[in-house]
Amino acid sequence: MSSRNSLCPCGSGRRYKHCCGPAAAAAPARQGAVTATASATDSLGALLNRALQLQLAGRFDAADRLYAQARAIEPRHFDALHMGGVVAYQKNDFVRARQLIEAALDVQPRSVDAMMNMELVQRAFAADDEFDRYTLAHAPRYCALSDSNGVVSAAQLWASFGAADVHLMLPATGASESVQGFVRALMAQAPITQPARARAVRVHSWSTSAAEPIEGLPAPRIVEPGAAPPVGCLVVAGSNAEVAAAWADADGWAGRWLFCDTPVHGLLADRLRQLSAHGRHRVELLFASAVLARRMKLPGRVFVENR
C-alpha cells in the first residue's frame, strides 16, 4: 500500500491521500454496510476496491478487466469510468483513456481529479504525435530492414539466436499480457532438450529494477549499475522495458531484438534510440500483432507462436 504522502501510483501527479487513497479507504467501509436491499451496491464497491488494489500493485491488465466488469454493472459509475481511464493511460492506451475519462466528466463535470487526468492524456497525445514524426523520419537509423508484412515464429527466432545465450530484458512495471504471451511462446520453443546441439541454449531474465516474474521463466535478476554486460542475444520484451546504458552501448551482442506491445510511438522511439545506442546498432523489431505493425509503420515482423 502506498504512503498517504507519496505520489499516487495512478500517475495523476497528486499525493496518494488526495487522489486514490480516499477511494481505497471508502470501499471497505461500503462493504461493511451489507443489507438485503444494498447487496448489488456492496458487490460493486468490493469489485472497485479489488480493481484499485490491483492497479496500485501494478497489475494493470487485471485491474482493467475488473473496472470493465464494474461498468457492465453500472455504466455511468464515476469511479469505474474515471479509474478505468486512468488504468488505460497507464497501459499507454491513450484513445481509450480519453474516452473513459470524458465519460466520467460527463457524470461529474466538476471533478478536479478527472480534469487533471484528462490533461495528462492530452499531453500524452501531443508527445506521441511529436515522436511519431521523429520516429518515422529516423527509422532507418535504428531498425533492421526487414519485411514489414512478414511474420516470424518462436521457432524461427531460436534459429536466429543460434547457440548463443538469450538475455530477456523485462519491464519493471509489470509485463503486459502480450509480453507474457511472447515470453511463454519463446520458452515453449527453447531448444534446450535437443541432444544434437553442441551446447544448450540458456535463457536469462533481467530487469533494471525489481520486477514480477513471468510464469515459466526464472525470476528476473536486477542489472547492477556499472556491471559488464553478458555475451549473447539481447531481447527486450516490451516497449516499456528499460535497457541499462552499459548494455545498450556494448558491442558484443550477437543481435538485438525489441518486442513492441504498445501503439505509443514516443515510447517505441525512446526504446529504439536506447537499444540501438543512438543508431550504432541495428534492432530487429517484433510486433505483437499485424494491426500494431500497420499502425507503427516501421520495418519489422509480426511475432506468431507457431507458423
Side-chain angles (χ1 to χ4, degrees), residues 177-227:
E177 291 180 348
S178 294
V179 167
Q180 293 182 45
F182 169 70
V183 170
R184 283 195 290 266
L186 277 184
M187 294 302 295
Q189 294 292 328
I192 56 177
T193 58
Q194 296 182 12
R197 294 186 65 91
R199 59 189 292 273
V201 174
R202 298 172 57 192
V203 181
H204 313 267
S205 57
W206 303 86
S207 181
T208 54
S209 59
E212 293 185 9
I214 295 177
E215 184 180 355
L217 189 69
R221 289 180 286 173
I222 297 177
V223 178
E224 297 295 336

Short mmCIF file of all heavy atoms in Angstrom, two decimals, residues 177-227:
data_model
loop_
_atom_site.label_atom_id
_atom_site.label_comp_id
_atom_site.label_asym_id
_atom_site.label_seq_id
_atom_site.Cartn_x
_atom_site.Cartn_y
_atom_site.Cartn_z
N GLU A 177 -0.04 -8.52 -21.07
CA GLU A 177 -0.43 -9.87 -21.48
C GLU A 177 0.29 -10.27 -22.77
O GLU A 177 0.65 -11.44 -22.96
CB GLU A 177 -1.94 -9.95 -21.64
CG GLU A 177 -2.70 -9.84 -20.32
CD GLU A 177 -4.20 -9.92 -20.50
OE1 GLU A 177 -4.66 -9.83 -21.65
OE2 GLU A 177 -4.90 -10.06 -19.49
N SER A 178 0.49 -9.31 -23.66
CA SER A 178 1.21 -9.60 -24.91
C SER A 178 2.64 -10.03 -24.64
O SER A 178 3.15 -10.98 -25.24
CB SER A 178 1.20 -8.37 -25.83
OG SER A 178 -0.10 -8.06 -26.26
N VAL A 179 3.30 -9.32 -23.71
CA VAL A 179 4.68 -9.66 -23.36
C VAL A 179 4.73 -11.03 -22.70
O VAL A 179 5.61 -11.85 -23.01
CB VAL A 179 5.29 -8.59 -22.44
CG1 VAL A 179 6.59 -9.08 -21.81
CG2 VAL A 179 5.55 -7.30 -23.21
N GLN A 180 3.81 -11.30 -21.81
CA GLN A 180 3.79 -12.61 -21.15
C GLN A 180 3.59 -13.73 -22.17
O GLN A 180 4.25 -14.77 -22.10
CB GLN A 180 2.68 -12.64 -20.10
CG GLN A 180 2.93 -11.72 -18.93
CD GLN A 180 1.84 -11.81 -17.88
OE1 GLN A 180 1.42 -12.90 -17.51
NE2 GLN A 180 1.38 -10.66 -17.39
N GLY A 181 2.69 -13.51 -23.14
CA GLY A 181 2.48 -14.50 -24.18
C GLY A 181 3.72 -14.70 -25.04
O GLY A 181 4.05 -15.83 -25.41
N PHE A 182 4.40 -13.60 -25.35
CA PHE A 182 5.64 -13.67 -26.14
C PHE A 182 6.69 -14.49 -25.41
O PHE A 182 7.33 -15.38 -25.99
CB PHE A 182 6.14 -12.25 -26.38
CG PHE A 182 7.52 -12.15 -26.95
CD1 PHE A 182 7.79 -12.54 -28.25
CD2 PHE A 182 8.57 -11.65 -26.17
CE1 PHE A 182 9.08 -12.44 -28.78
CE2 PHE A 182 9.85 -11.54 -26.69
CZ PHE A 182 10.11 -11.94 -27.99
N VAL A 183 6.88 -14.23 -24.12
CA VAL A 183 7.90 -14.93 -23.34
C VAL A 183 7.54 -16.41 -23.20
O VAL A 183 8.40 -17.29 -23.36
CB VAL A 183 8.05 -14.27 -21.96
CG1 VAL A 183 8.93 -15.13 -21.05
CG2 VAL A 183 8.65 -12.88 -22.10
N ARG A 184 6.28 -16.69 -22.93
CA ARG A 184 5.88 -18.10 -22.79
C ARG A 184 6.08 -18.87 -24.10
O ARG A 184 6.49 -20.03 -24.11
CB ARG A 184 4.42 -18.19 -22.32
CG ARG A 184 4.24 -17.89 -20.84
CD ARG A 184 2.87 -18.33 -20.37
NE ARG A 184 1.83 -17.48 -20.92
CZ ARG A 184 1.31 -16.43 -20.31
NH1 ARG A 184 1.77 -16.08 -19.11
NH2 ARG A 184 0.36 -15.71 -20.85
N ALA A 185 5.76 -18.21 -25.24
CA ALA A 185 5.95 -18.87 -26.53
C ALA A 185 7.43 -19.14 -26.79
O ALA A 185 7.79 -20.21 -27.30
CB ALA A 185 5.37 -17.99 -27.65
N LEU A 186 8.29 -18.19 -26.43
CA LEU A 186 9.72 -18.40 -26.60
C LEU A 186 10.20 -19.57 -25.74
O LEU A 186 10.97 -20.43 -26.20
CB LEU A 186 10.49 -17.14 -26.21
CG LEU A 186 10.64 -16.03 -27.25
CD1 LEU A 186 11.52 -14.92 -26.70
CD2 LEU A 186 11.22 -16.57 -28.55
N MET A 187 9.76 -19.61 -24.50
CA MET A 187 10.21 -20.67 -23.60
C MET A 187 9.71 -22.03 -24.08
O MET A 187 10.39 -23.04 -23.95
CB MET A 187 9.71 -20.39 -22.18
CG MET A 187 10.32 -19.14 -21.54
SD MET A 187 12.13 -19.21 -21.46
CE MET A 187 12.35 -20.59 -20.32
N ALA A 188 8.48 -22.06 -24.64
CA ALA A 188 7.93 -23.33 -25.11
C ALA A 188 8.74 -23.90 -26.27
O ALA A 188 8.78 -25.11 -26.48
CB ALA A 188 6.47 -23.15 -25.52
N GLN A 189 9.37 -23.00 -27.05
CA GLN A 189 10.13 -23.44 -28.22
C GLN A 189 11.64 -23.50 -27.97
O GLN A 189 12.40 -23.82 -28.88
CB GLN A 189 9.86 -22.49 -29.39
CG GLN A 189 8.43 -22.53 -29.91
CD GLN A 189 8.11 -23.84 -30.58
OE1 GLN A 189 8.96 -24.48 -31.18
NE2 GLN A 189 6.86 -24.28 -30.45
N ALA A 190 12.07 -23.18 -26.76
CA ALA A 190 13.50 -23.17 -26.47
C ALA A 190 14.11 -24.55 -26.70
O ALA A 190 13.66 -25.54 -26.12
CB ALA A 190 13.74 -22.72 -25.03
N PRO A 191 15.13 -24.66 -27.53
CA PRO A 191 15.70 -25.97 -27.89
C PRO A 191 16.71 -26.48 -26.87
O PRO A 191 17.81 -26.88 -27.19
CB PRO A 191 16.38 -25.68 -29.23
CG PRO A 191 16.81 -24.27 -29.13
CD PRO A 191 15.76 -23.56 -28.30
N ILE A 192 16.31 -26.45 -25.59
CA ILE A 192 17.26 -26.83 -24.55
C ILE A 192 17.31 -28.34 -24.34
O ILE A 192 18.16 -28.84 -23.62
CB ILE A 192 16.92 -26.14 -23.22
CG1 ILE A 192 15.48 -26.47 -22.81
CG2 ILE A 192 17.11 -24.64 -23.32
CD1 ILE A 192 15.09 -25.89 -21.45
N THR A 193 16.39 -29.08 -24.97
CA THR A 193 16.37 -30.53 -24.75
C THR A 193 16.85 -31.29 -25.98
O THR A 193 16.78 -32.52 -26.01
CB THR A 193 14.93 -30.98 -24.42
OG1 THR A 193 14.06 -30.60 -25.49
CG2 THR A 193 14.45 -30.34 -23.13
N GLN A 194 17.34 -30.57 -26.99
CA GLN A 194 17.80 -31.26 -28.18
C GLN A 194 19.23 -31.79 -27.96
O GLN A 194 20.17 -31.01 -27.84
CB GLN A 194 17.78 -30.31 -29.39
CG GLN A 194 16.37 -29.85 -29.76
CD GLN A 194 16.38 -28.96 -30.98
OE1 GLN A 194 17.39 -28.87 -31.67
NE2 GLN A 194 15.27 -28.29 -31.24
N PRO A 195 19.42 -33.09 -27.93
CA PRO A 195 20.74 -33.66 -27.63
C PRO A 195 21.76 -33.41 -28.73
O PRO A 195 22.96 -33.50 -28.49
CB PRO A 195 20.45 -35.15 -27.47
CG PRO A 195 19.19 -35.37 -28.26
CD PRO A 195 18.38 -34.11 -28.11
N ALA A 196 21.29 -33.08 -29.94
CA ALA A 196 22.23 -32.91 -31.05
C ALA A 196 22.98 -31.59 -30.99
O ALA A 196 23.98 -31.41 -31.68
CB ALA A 196 21.48 -33.02 -32.38
N ARG A 197 22.51 -30.66 -30.17
CA ARG A 197 23.17 -29.36 -30.10
C ARG A 197 24.50 -29.47 -29.37
O ARG A 197 24.66 -30.25 -28.44
CB ARG A 197 22.28 -28.34 -29.40
CG ARG A 197 21.00 -28.02 -30.17
CD ARG A 197 20.24 -26.89 -29.50
NE ARG A 197 21.01 -25.65 -29.55
CZ ARG A 197 20.91 -24.76 -30.55
NH1 ARG A 197 20.11 -25.00 -31.57
NH2 ARG A 197 21.62 -23.67 -30.53
N ALA A 198 25.46 -28.66 -29.80
CA ALA A 198 26.77 -28.68 -29.15
C ALA A 198 26.68 -28.19 -27.73
O ALA A 198 27.43 -28.60 -26.87
CB ALA A 198 27.75 -27.83 -29.95
N ARG A 199 25.78 -27.27 -27.47
CA ARG A 199 25.57 -26.77 -26.10
C ARG A 199 24.13 -26.34 -25.96
O ARG A 199 23.46 -26.02 -26.95
CB ARG A 199 26.50 -25.59 -25.80
CG ARG A 199 26.30 -24.41 -26.73
CD ARG A 199 27.38 -23.36 -26.52
NE ARG A 199 27.26 -22.71 -25.23
CZ ARG A 199 26.48 -21.65 -25.04
NH1 ARG A 199 25.75 -21.16 -26.03
NH2 ARG A 199 26.45 -21.06 -23.87
N ALA A 200 23.64 -26.38 -24.77
CA ALA A 200 22.25 -25.99 -24.53
C ALA A 200 22.12 -24.47 -24.56
O ALA A 200 22.99 -23.76 -24.05
CB ALA A 200 21.78 -26.53 -23.17
N VAL A 201 21.07 -23.98 -25.17
CA VAL A 201 20.78 -22.55 -25.13
C VAL A 201 20.19 -22.23 -23.77
O VAL A 201 19.23 -22.85 -23.32
CB VAL A 201 19.79 -22.16 -26.25
CG1 VAL A 201 19.40 -20.70 -26.11
CG2 VAL A 201 20.42 -22.41 -27.60
N ARG A 202 20.74 -21.23 -23.13
CA ARG A 202 20.26 -20.84 -21.81
C ARG A 202 19.54 -19.51 -21.89
O ARG A 202 19.93 -18.62 -22.64
CB ARG A 202 21.44 -20.74 -20.84
CG ARG A 202 22.15 -22.08 -20.65
CD ARG A 202 23.42 -21.90 -19.86
NE ARG A 202 23.16 -21.30 -18.58
CZ ARG A 202 24.11 -20.81 -17.77
NH1 ARG A 202 25.36 -20.85 -18.17
NH2 ARG A 202 23.82 -20.28 -16.61
N VAL A 203 18.46 -19.38 -21.13
CA VAL A 203 17.67 -18.16 -21.11
C VAL A 203 17.84 -17.48 -19.77
O VAL A 203 17.70 -18.11 -18.71
CB VAL A 203 16.17 -18.46 -21.35
CG1 VAL A 203 15.36 -17.17 -21.35
CG2 VAL A 203 15.99 -19.20 -22.66
N HIS A 204 18.14 -16.20 -19.79
CA HIS A 204 18.32 -15.41 -18.58
C HIS A 204 17.33 -14.25 -18.61
O HIS A 204 17.13 -13.64 -19.65
CB HIS A 204 19.74 -14.84 -18.49
CG HIS A 204 20.82 -15.86 -18.77
ND1 HIS A 204 21.43 -16.59 -17.78
CD2 HIS A 204 21.37 -16.27 -19.95
CE1 HIS A 204 22.33 -17.39 -18.33
NE2 HIS A 204 22.30 -17.22 -19.64
N SER A 205 16.70 -13.97 -17.48
CA SER A 205 15.77 -12.84 -17.43
C SER A 205 16.34 -11.75 -16.54
O SER A 205 16.92 -12.02 -15.48
CB SER A 205 14.40 -13.29 -16.91
OG SER A 205 14.50 -13.89 -15.63
N TRP A 206 16.16 -10.49 -16.99
CA TRP A 206 16.74 -9.34 -16.32
C TRP A 206 15.73 -8.20 -16.25
O TRP A 206 14.76 -8.16 -16.99
CB TRP A 206 17.97 -8.84 -17.09
CG TRP A 206 19.06 -9.83 -17.30
CD1 TRP A 206 19.17 -10.73 -18.32
CD2 TRP A 206 20.21 -10.03 -16.47
NE1 TRP A 206 20.31 -11.48 -18.19
CE2 TRP A 206 20.98 -11.07 -17.05
CE3 TRP A 206 20.67 -9.42 -15.29
CZ2 TRP A 206 22.17 -11.51 -16.51
CZ3 TRP A 206 21.86 -9.86 -14.75
CH2 TRP A 206 22.60 -10.90 -15.34
N SER A 207 16.02 -7.26 -15.37
CA SER A 207 15.25 -6.02 -15.29
C SER A 207 16.13 -4.96 -14.66
O SER A 207 17.11 -5.29 -13.97
CB SER A 207 13.97 -6.21 -14.46
OG SER A 207 13.22 -5.02 -14.41
N THR A 208 15.82 -3.69 -14.93
CA THR A 208 16.62 -2.62 -14.34
C THR A 208 16.23 -2.35 -12.89
O THR A 208 16.93 -1.64 -12.18
CB THR A 208 16.47 -1.33 -15.16
OG1 THR A 208 15.09 -1.02 -15.31
CG2 THR A 208 17.10 -1.50 -16.54
N SER A 209 15.08 -2.87 -12.46
CA SER A 209 14.65 -2.78 -11.06
C SER A 209 13.75 -3.97 -10.78
O SER A 209 13.47 -4.76 -11.68
CB SER A 209 13.94 -1.46 -10.78
OG SER A 209 12.81 -1.30 -11.61
N ALA A 210 13.32 -4.10 -9.53
CA ALA A 210 12.52 -5.26 -9.14
C ALA A 210 11.31 -5.42 -10.05
O ALA A 210 10.57 -4.47 -10.29
CB ALA A 210 12.08 -5.12 -7.69
N ALA A 211 11.11 -6.63 -10.58
CA ALA A 211 10.01 -6.90 -11.49
C ALA A 211 9.34 -8.21 -11.11
O ALA A 211 9.97 -9.11 -10.56
CB ALA A 211 10.51 -6.97 -12.94
N GLU A 212 8.05 -8.30 -11.41
CA GLU A 212 7.32 -9.53 -11.14
C GLU A 212 7.76 -10.61 -12.11
O GLU A 212 7.91 -10.35 -13.31
CB GLU A 212 5.81 -9.30 -11.28
CG GLU A 212 5.22 -8.37 -10.22
CD GLU A 212 3.71 -8.28 -10.34
OE1 GLU A 212 3.13 -9.06 -11.11
OE2 GLU A 212 3.13 -7.42 -9.66
N PRO A 213 7.95 -11.83 -11.63
CA PRO A 213 8.35 -12.92 -12.54
C PRO A 213 7.21 -13.31 -13.46
O PRO A 213 6.04 -13.10 -13.15
CB PRO A 213 8.71 -14.06 -11.58
CG PRO A 213 7.93 -13.77 -10.33
CD PRO A 213 7.84 -12.27 -10.23
N ILE A 214 7.55 -13.87 -14.59
CA ILE A 214 6.57 -14.40 -15.53
C ILE A 214 6.56 -15.91 -15.40
O ILE A 214 7.62 -16.54 -15.30
CB ILE A 214 6.93 -13.98 -16.97
CG1 ILE A 214 6.82 -12.45 -17.11
CG2 ILE A 214 6.01 -14.66 -17.98
CD1 ILE A 214 7.22 -11.94 -18.48
N GLU A 215 5.38 -16.48 -15.39
CA GLU A 215 5.25 -17.93 -15.22
C GLU A 215 6.07 -18.68 -16.26
O GLU A 215 6.02 -18.38 -17.46
CB GLU A 215 3.77 -18.33 -15.35
CG GLU A 215 3.52 -19.81 -15.11
CD GLU A 215 2.05 -20.16 -15.24
OE1 GLU A 215 1.23 -19.25 -15.44
OE2 GLU A 215 1.74 -21.36 -15.16
N GLY A 216 6.85 -19.64 -15.79
CA GLY A 216 7.69 -20.44 -16.68
C GLY A 216 9.06 -19.87 -16.93
O GLY A 216 9.87 -20.47 -17.63
N LEU A 217 9.33 -18.69 -16.37
CA LEU A 217 10.62 -18.02 -16.57
C LEU A 217 11.28 -17.79 -15.22
O LEU A 217 10.60 -17.44 -14.26
CB LEU A 217 10.41 -16.69 -17.29
CG LEU A 217 11.66 -15.95 -17.79
CD1 LEU A 217 12.29 -16.72 -18.95
CD2 LEU A 217 11.30 -14.55 -18.25
N PRO A 218 12.58 -17.99 -15.12
CA PRO A 218 13.24 -17.70 -13.84
C PRO A 218 13.01 -16.26 -13.41
O PRO A 218 12.85 -15.36 -14.25
CB PRO A 218 14.73 -17.94 -14.16
CG PRO A 218 14.73 -18.85 -15.36
CD PRO A 218 13.51 -18.49 -16.15
N ALA A 219 12.94 -16.03 -12.10
CA ALA A 219 12.74 -14.68 -11.58
C ALA A 219 13.82 -13.75 -12.13
O ALA A 219 15.00 -14.12 -12.15
CB ALA A 219 12.77 -14.68 -10.06
N PRO A 220 13.45 -12.58 -12.62
CA PRO A 220 14.45 -11.69 -13.24
C PRO A 220 15.46 -11.17 -12.23
O PRO A 220 15.12 -10.84 -11.09
CB PRO A 220 13.60 -10.54 -13.80
CG PRO A 220 12.33 -10.58 -13.03
CD PRO A 220 12.09 -12.01 -12.67
N ARG A 221 16.70 -11.13 -12.66
CA ARG A 221 17.76 -10.53 -11.85
C ARG A 221 17.87 -9.05 -12.19
O ARG A 221 17.59 -8.64 -13.31
CB ARG A 221 19.09 -11.23 -12.11
CG ARG A 221 19.18 -12.63 -11.55
CD ARG A 221 20.53 -13.26 -11.87
NE ARG A 221 20.62 -13.64 -13.28
CZ ARG A 221 21.73 -14.07 -13.85
NH1 ARG A 221 22.85 -14.15 -13.16
NH2 ARG A 221 21.73 -14.42 -15.13
N ILE A 222 18.28 -8.26 -11.24
CA ILE A 222 18.42 -6.83 -11.45
C ILE A 222 19.80 -6.54 -12.01
O ILE A 222 20.81 -7.05 -11.52
CB ILE A 222 18.20 -6.05 -10.13
CG1 ILE A 222 16.77 -6.26 -9.63
CG2 ILE A 222 18.48 -4.56 -10.33
CD1 ILE A 222 16.48 -5.60 -8.31
N VAL A 223 19.84 -5.74 -13.07
CA VAL A 223 21.11 -5.35 -13.67
C VAL A 223 21.83 -4.38 -12.73
O VAL A 223 21.31 -3.31 -12.41
CB VAL A 223 20.90 -4.67 -15.04
CG1 VAL A 223 22.23 -4.22 -15.62
CG2 VAL A 223 20.18 -5.62 -15.99
N GLU A 224 22.98 -4.77 -12.25
CA GLU A 224 23.73 -3.93 -11.32
C GLU A 224 24.38 -2.77 -12.07
O GLU A 224 24.94 -2.95 -13.15
CB GLU A 224 24.81 -4.75 -10.61
CG GLU A 224 24.27 -5.87 -9.74
CD GLU A 224 23.46 -5.34 -8.57
OE1 GLU A 224 23.68 -4.18 -8.16
OE2 GLU A 224 22.60 -6.09 -8.07
N PRO A 225 24.32 -1.55 -11.52
CA PRO A 225 24.93 -0.39 -12.18
C PRO A 225 26.43 -0.62 -12.42
O PRO A 225 27.15 -1.03 -11.51
CB PRO A 225 24.69 0.75 -11.18
CG PRO A 225 23.52 0.31 -10.37
CD PRO A 225 23.63 -1.18 -10.27
N GLY A 226 26.87 -0.37 -13.62
CA GLY A 226 28.28 -0.50 -13.94
C GLY A 226 28.74 -1.90 -14.24
O GLY A 226 29.91 -2.11 -14.60
N ALA A 227 27.84 -2.91 -14.07
CA ALA A 227 28.24 -4.29 -14.31
C ALA A 227 28.46 -4.52 -15.80
O ALA A 227 27.74 -3.98 -16.64
CB ALA A 227 27.17 -5.25 -13.79
#
